[in-house]
């Protein structure tokens, strides 16, 4: 009953906007309707509680982490600069999706303009690719630190770090910007309802009655040449790191070297496992896994890793813990 009422409400909104049988100009003018999590509309209010909690925790945790790194000169090193980049990308990624999803859950605010939908889609995919590139940069940092420790200061200079940052942003932009034009070229003539909480590339493309094979292949190529390639390079880096670690003469040196990589490995697993599970479940389990599960996974993916990354580094990295103590003790002294 709840699902039927929700569907009727969406269809009524669609009809009121003139979208029952859409043409190209109608879709671009009237915008799109995001259904939320299809099949679980009656649970939207309850689902909003954990999602809101995780979103606030992600904002607070990553914000505090960035403040710790900026306020402590001892943390102005390549590893922590990359970590602050990851935290910034996580804040922006969760913020690009959760506010609209929560507005939908709480207020039934399902409408989004067509250009707004394209903008959200661009930033979600842009930040996802940037996240992947930052993890690769962090793997490179660990590779140099363990495999060539004497060259670390000369390899990862401030100039090199600046170039890595610029390359990360440039690559993400170049990969994702064409997707906007690939979507704008399509002719839209179907009902403009997206069964999701946010706009993503193929969700928008499926509103079209044009041939979207170019969009499908471009999306696949973009994923393989960005995140897929990054995962391969990260794996290669850690193969070399492990070889170098197990060649160390003492057990103490080996454990110390592995501990410096532990936090990064946890963050990589938090990034890769949900992404790979979501991709394979979508490609191969579409008939067996309900659509609402795919949408839930997509929403959890943009809040759980951003929420857990600061906890992972805060617990496993001694320097972050010490920096946090110094920052908070300094704040307490100022207020006294």
């Amino acid at each position: 009953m709840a699902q039927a009422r929700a569907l009727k409400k969406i269809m009524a909104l669609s009809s009121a906007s003139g979208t029952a049988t859409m043409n190209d100009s109608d879709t671009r003018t009237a915008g799109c309707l995001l259904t939320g999590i299809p099949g679980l509309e009656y649970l939207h209010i309850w689902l909003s509680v954990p999602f809101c909690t995780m979103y606030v925790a992600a904002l607070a945790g990553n914000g505090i982490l960035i403040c710790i790194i900026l306020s402590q000169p001892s943390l102005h090193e390549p590893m922590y600069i990359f970590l602050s980049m990851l935290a910034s990308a996580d804040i922006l990624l969760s913020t690009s999706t959760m506010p609209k999803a929560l507005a939908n859950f709480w207020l039934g605010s399902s409408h989004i303009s067509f250009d707004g939908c394209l903008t959200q889609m661009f930033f979600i995919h842009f930040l996802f690719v940037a996240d992947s590139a930052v993890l690769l940069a962090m793997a490179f940092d660990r590779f140099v630190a363990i495999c060539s420790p004497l060259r670390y200061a000369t390899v990862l200079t401030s100039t090199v770090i600046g170039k890595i940052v610029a390359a990360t942003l440039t690559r993400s932009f170049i990969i994702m910007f064409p997707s906007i034009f690939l979507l704008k070229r399509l002719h839209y003539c179907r009902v403009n309802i997206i069964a999701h909480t946010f706009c993503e590339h193929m969700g928008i493309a499926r509103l079209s009655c044009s041939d979207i094979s170019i969009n499908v292949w471009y999306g696949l190529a973009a994923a393989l040449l960005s995140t897929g390639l990054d995962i391969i390079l990260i794996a290669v880096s850690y193969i070399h790191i492990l070889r170098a670690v197990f060649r160390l003469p003492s057990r103490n040196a080996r454990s110390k070297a592995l501990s410096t990589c532990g936090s990064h490995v946890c963050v990589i697993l938090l990034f890769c496992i949900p992404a790979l599970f979501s991709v394979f479940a979508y490609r191969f389990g579409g008939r067996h896994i309900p659509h609402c599960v795919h949408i839930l996974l997509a929403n959890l993916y943009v809040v759980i890793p951003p929420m857990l990354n600061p906890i992972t580094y805060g617990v496993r990295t001694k320097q972050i813990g010490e920096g946090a103590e110094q920052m908070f003790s300094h704040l307490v002294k100022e207020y006294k």
Side-chain angles (χ1 to χ4, degrees), residues 79 258-268 312-313 315-317:
M79 174 181 173
L258 288 173
S259 67
T260 62
C261 299
S263 300
H264 185 231
V265 171
C266 291
V267 170
I268 291 172
T312 302
Y313 270 93
V315 170
R316 296 186 60 89
T317 307

Side-chain angles (χ1 to χ4, degrees), residues 303-322:
V303 287
I304 288 183
M307 178 187 68
L308 294 180
N309 288 347
I311 298 172
T312 302
Y313 270 93
V315 170
R316 296 186 60 89
T317 307
K318 182 181 178 181
Q319 292 86 342
I320 295 291
E322 292 174 349

Side-chain angles (χ1 to χ4, degrees), residues 183-199:
L183 290 171
K184 278 186 169 289
R185 73 181 178 86
L186 298 175
H187 177 67
Y188 295 91
C189 59
R190 294 176 181 168
V191 175
N192 60 341
I193 297 174
I194 300 176
H196 214 305
T197 56
F198 55 80
C199 299

